[in-house]
Amino acid sequence: MKHVSIIVPDNQTTLSSVACIVGAYEMFDLANEYWKENGRQEFIKTELVGVSKKADFHKGLVTVSPHTHIDDTPKTDLIIIPSLIRDYQKAMKGTQLLSDWVSKQYRNGAEIASMCSGAYMLAAAGLLNGKKCSTHWCYADNFRSLFPQVNLQPEKLITDENGIYTNGGGYSFLNLVIYLIEKYYDRPTAIYCSKLFQVEIDRQSQSPFIIFSAQKSHGDEIVMKAQEYIESRLDEKITIEDLSSKFAVGRRNFDRRFIKATGNTPTEYAQRVKIESAKRTLETTRKTINEVMYEVGYSDVKAFREVFRKITGISPLEYKNKYNKEAVV
């Protein structure tokens, strides 16, 4: 029989942590019931594991009692790490015992799945070095600054590499659980759970949900001025040559400084600023795709559509229909 361990962190959590723990447990429990109802023998045991007899969440609003202590779980096959508190330095210090146990289990052959900010525990333990990883898109800049050796891909909803699974933010952890159920049971069981819990199966991207927020705490005054220049001229086509010349910095040096400060090339930054503006317009007005396109400095529909899809994962029209009620009416 395989063993699934859902971690119950102690005092380093939010109500989102509870949702991850309860949601994962309930879905694996349902998968087991479905499996048995179809005449097959139960082969997965799911337990909550922790370092204390009970863990309080949100000032005692919710209490979760783990089934077992990590010291009494010498061997497990899959570890699920829920989201953690948003003070990541504190979270990493406060979960050291769990982190050490997770690392030991991974070395002994266990697989690990992190939900949302649970990826910080894996990264702090060095288990994500050189590997692909996702987390909530709004933590991307902070995560990159702390763990530059990790290949962060915040547009991905789920990553799967060398027995380590990570996922994006919010309640997309449900998509990860469906993915794991298919891995550990089979496709029909995953489809059944997907239908019963009404969770979209095979969802791959969190790009449509990303709200671009410019990184401006870097302290590079030239780059800051360049960012402000780009943002104030959304309807213009600005080249790297224009920017480096305007701020009297060699192109190569300017490009290097911009990437170091913002995590994007100047071209990528301009694209993201423009597309974020286009998204807001599509969400709140009746303007046509062409009108929006011209407002953010594009004159070629194909080019605009390609950049929009690259950043959001869907076309401008799909985005408008998805987020603008008036557009649908």
Side-chain angles (χ1 to χ4, degrees):
M1 178 174 287
K2 289 187 177 294
H3 186 269
V4 176
S5 298
I6 302 174
I7 283 182
V8 180
D10 193 12
N11 299 321
Q12 310 300 328
T13 53
T14 68
L15 286 178
S16 294
S17 311
V18 180
C20 292
I21 293 166
V22 174
Y25 186 83
E26 185 177 16
M27 291 180 82
F28 266 95
D29 193 53
L30 176 70
N32 250 338
E33 290 303 314
Y34 178 77
W35 191 258
K36 289 188 293 184
E37 286 171 5
N38 283 274
R40 289 168 288 193
Q41 185 175 355
E42 180 178 359
F43 76 102
I44 289 182
K45 181 180 182 180
T46 305
E47 289 188 314
L48 308 186
V49 302
V51 294
S52 58
K53 291 184 178 180
K54 68 175 184 177
D56 291 329
F57 297 84
H58 206 68
K59 300 178 180 179
L61 178 65
V62 180
T63 299
V64 177
S65 299
H67 294 109
T68 183
H69 193 280
I70 56 173
D71 290 342
D72 298 322
T73 312
K75 180 73 171 69
T76 191
D77 297 288
L78 172 65
I79 299 169
I80 297 176
I81 303 172
S83 62
L84 301 172
I85 60 172
R86 289 159 179 78
D87 182 348
Y88 304 114
Q89 300 291 355
K90 181 180 178 183
M92 286 184 276
K93 291 177 183 177
T95 56
Q96 193 60 55
L97 285 175
L98 288 169
S99 179
D100 291 344
W101 179 78
V102 168
S103 297
K104 180 181 178 181
Q105 292 294 330
Y106 183 65
R107 290 194 298 270
N108 290 337
E111 294 192 321
I112 309 171
S114 70
M115 298 170 166
C116 192
S117 52
Y120 281 78
M121 181 188 288
L122 292 180
L127 296 179
L128 290 176
N129 290 351
K131 295 185 180 70
K132 293 178 292 186
C133 166
S134 185
T135 189
H136 198 298
W137 56 262
C138 73
Y139 309 146
D141 290 337
N142 176 267
F143 191 97
R144 284 194 184 99
S145 68
L146 290 173
F147 308 109
Q149 67 275 36
V150 178
N151 179 14
L152 184 66
Q153 300 184 349
E155 74 282 358
K156 298 285 188 182
L157 190 75
I158 296 170
T159 66
D160 176 348
E161 185 174 0
N162 295 338
I164 293 181
Y165 312 91
T166 68
N167 98 286
Y171 282 72
S172 69
F173 75 84
L174 295 169
N175 300 96
L176 173 62
V177 179
I178 293 293
Y179 184 85
L180 293 171
I181 286 172
E182 181 172 356
K183 284 263 184 176
Y184 277 76
Y185 291 90
D186 57 14
R187 180 73 173 182
T189 305
I191 291 173
Y192 176 77
C193 292
S194 169
K195 288 180 176 179
L196 201 67
F197 286 104
Q198 300 185 41
V199 179
E200 184 180 349
I201 198 167
D202 294 333
R203 190 180 141 212
Q204 300 294 322
S205 174
Q206 61 176 340
S207 292
F209 302 95
I210 294 176
I211 301 172
F212 180 65
S213 178
Q215 166 60 277
K216 292 184 177 177
S217 59
H218 45 72
D220 190 320
E221 187 176 348
I222 294 296
V223 173
M224 180 76 77
K225 289 180 178 179
Q227 289 175 272
E228 292 171 353
Y229 185 83
I230 291 171
E231 292 164 11
S232 66
R233 291 164 172 78
L234 289 178
D235 60 340
E236 297 179 15
K237 184 177 181 180
I238 303 172
T239 66
I240 300 176
E241 289 81 3
D242 294 335
L243 290 170
S244 59
S245 175
K246 178 175 180 59
F247 297 105
V249 180
R251 173 176 172 166
R252 185 172 296 179
N253 185 36
F254 179 78
D255 208 33
R256 179 185 59 78
R257 286 174 63 174
F258 204 99
I259 293 172
K260 182 180 179 181
T262 70
N264 298 115
T265 67
T267 299
E268 289 170 343
Y269 187 86
Q271 288 176 341
R272 288 188 174 277
V273 169
K274 289 172 180 288
I275 297 305
E276 192 60 35
S277 176
K279 285 163 58 181
R280 287 194 296 270
T281 305
L282 290 172
E283 290 166 5
T284 58
T285 75
R286 286 180 172 271
K287 290 182 179 179
T288 66
I289 303 300
N290 280 3
E291 287 174 321
V292 175
M293 175 186 75
Y294 292 129
E295 282 186 359
V296 294
Y298 285 87
S299 56
D300 185 319
V301 175
K302 183 180 179 182
F304 176 65
R305 188 185 302 118
E306 287 177 352
V307 173
F308 195 100
R309 184 180 288 279
K310 182 181 75 172
I311 291 174
T312 69
I314 56 180
S315 73
L317 183 58
E318 288 172 319
Y319 190 91
K320 184 175 184 178
N321 290 338
K322 188 179 184 71
Y323 291 107
N324 190 320
K325 284 186 176 181
E326 291 186 0
V328 175
V329 175

